[in-house]
Amino acid sequence: MKIAGITILLPLLTLTGCAVSQKLSPPQDGKRVKVAVVKPADVDILPMNVIYRSERCRDKILTSTGAISSRDGYHLLTVPFKPEAGSNVVSNAVAFDGGGQCGWKLSNIRFQFQFHDMTAFGQDIKKNIPNDIVFVFDEHAPPRGDGHYEVRSGAVIIQSEYYPVIMNERLIQHAKVLSIEGKRMLTYKLHNTDSIIFSPKVYSEKAVRVLGPEVFGGEAIITYPDGTKISSIKGQHPIDFEKLKLMK
């Protein structure tokens, strides 16, 4: 029985052996994708979280049945955006081929953005929640969401609209929270793409205020910039962004 047990485990020791360096080493002349953001004045663009995967350097995992299995290796790289001189654009380039002994390949890119100064929307706001966007380059599932995405190819330009939402949370946190909201969970699967431009339009003057319920299952009140109030129970009336677009 001992011999059989050793035979089963040896392949796993080979998969997770520490003799192979897991460092990235992108070739200098390798293909890259440029990610650029047309930055609104009152919004911060946070660094990119870049995920590389490797079939060669695999991670050992424990399945729900208690069995030991493996999956493609995972390497996280943080890449900051750099301002482009004379413009409101920030950008950086990411290598498709991560190189190294593991043969790392680009899997996905995710970055967040948030309002620069949350106190501009009220001195009593306690938290500033960002929004995000994800680009997928392989067959692995996106790093968040339900796995759905929009397919794009070639040079990609994405334009989307965002609004400030101030939630007065009265159940758990008992605090006002600012978020930047629009179309949720922007996720794109890209093919033959070497250029991405994200151009968010942010309507900072069209703040929506949400007065949260005082009891579980209670009623929330959504107040739009024109003073319109709508009652919401358990998310039955989400924020109407089409309504916001029409407001002057």
Side-chain angles (χ1 to χ4, degrees):
M1 294 299 293
K2 289 184 178 180
I3 295 176
I6 293 174
T7 303
I8 292 171
L9 291 176
L10 277 176
L12 296 173
L13 295 174
T14 303
L15 289 168
T16 58
C18 56
V20 176
S21 171
Q22 297 199 9
K23 291 183 178 180
L24 295 172
S25 183
Q28 293 296 321
D29 57 350
K31 185 180 177 182
R32 296 173 181 266
V33 56
K34 179 182 178 181
V35 183
V37 181
V38 182
K39 180 183 175 301
D42 54 352
V43 170
D44 290 331
I45 311 299
L46 305 183
M48 289 181 273
N49 286 332
V50 181
I51 300 299
Y52 287 89
R53 302 277 187 179
S54 169
E55 294 182 358
R56 189 179 308 162
C57 298
R58 302 181 65 80
D59 292 332
K60 182 172 63 175
I61 60 173
L62 190 66
T63 68
S64 58
T65 62
I68 297 176
S69 183
S70 71
R71 63 185 176 192
D72 288 357
Y74 173 103
H75 196 295
L76 170 64
L77 181 67
T78 301
V79 178
F81 284 98
K82 298 178 181 179
E84 295 188 1
S87 75
N88 60 339
V89 175
V90 296
S91 66
N92 212 330
V94 175
F96 281 99
D97 183 359
Q101 294 182 349
C102 290
W104 296 104
K105 302 298 179 185
L106 179 62
S107 179
N108 64 72
I109 296 172
R110 174 181 181 243
F111 64 86
Q112 296 179 308
F113 47 97
Q114 63 186 22
F115 284 109
H116 173 71
D117 180 14
M118 66 181 181
T119 63
F121 299 92
Q123 294 295 321
D124 54 348
I125 294 176
K126 302 300 182 183
K127 191 174 181 179
N128 190 5
I129 299 177
N131 208 319
D132 72 350
I133 186 168
V134 174
F135 304 100
V136 179
F137 298 88
D138 61 10
E139 299 306 315
H140 289 88
R144 57 98 177 99
D146 57 5
H148 289 86
Y149 43 71
E150 181 178 331
V151 178
R152 296 278 190 96
S153 62
V156 173
I157 299 176
I158 296 167
Q159 297 175 317
S160 193
E161 297 174 320
Y162 296 92
Y163 303 85
V165 176
I166 302 161
M167 163 67 82
N168 187 353
E169 204 286 317
R170 300 189 293 173
L171 277 176
I172 300 173
Q173 299 182 60
H174 300 284
K176 289 185 179 179
V177 177
L178 171 68
S179 57
I180 180 168
E181 295 193 22
K183 185 177 179 181
R184 295 189 63 80
M185 291 194 176
L186 287 180
T187 306
Y188 298 89
K189 187 166 186 177
L190 306 184
H191 302 283
N192 301 318
T193 298
D194 58 11
S195 173
I196 300 169
I197 299 175
F198 177 47
S199 182
K201 175 66 176 176
V202 179
Y203 295 92
S204 299
E205 73 283 2
K206 294 185 179 182
V208 179
R209 298 180 181 272
V210 181
L211 182 64
E214 292 186 287
V215 296
F216 286 100
E219 188 177 80
I221 304 297
I222 301 172
T223 304
Y224 288 91
D226 65 353
T228 302
K229 295 180 183 293
I230 296 178
S231 298
S232 172
I233 300 176
K234 294 184 178 180
Q236 292 177 9
H237 301 285
I239 294 170
D240 188 346
F241 293 107
E242 293 301 319
K243 177 183 177 72
L244 282 168
K245 289 180 183 180
L246 298 176
M247 291 182 181
K248 295 182 179 180

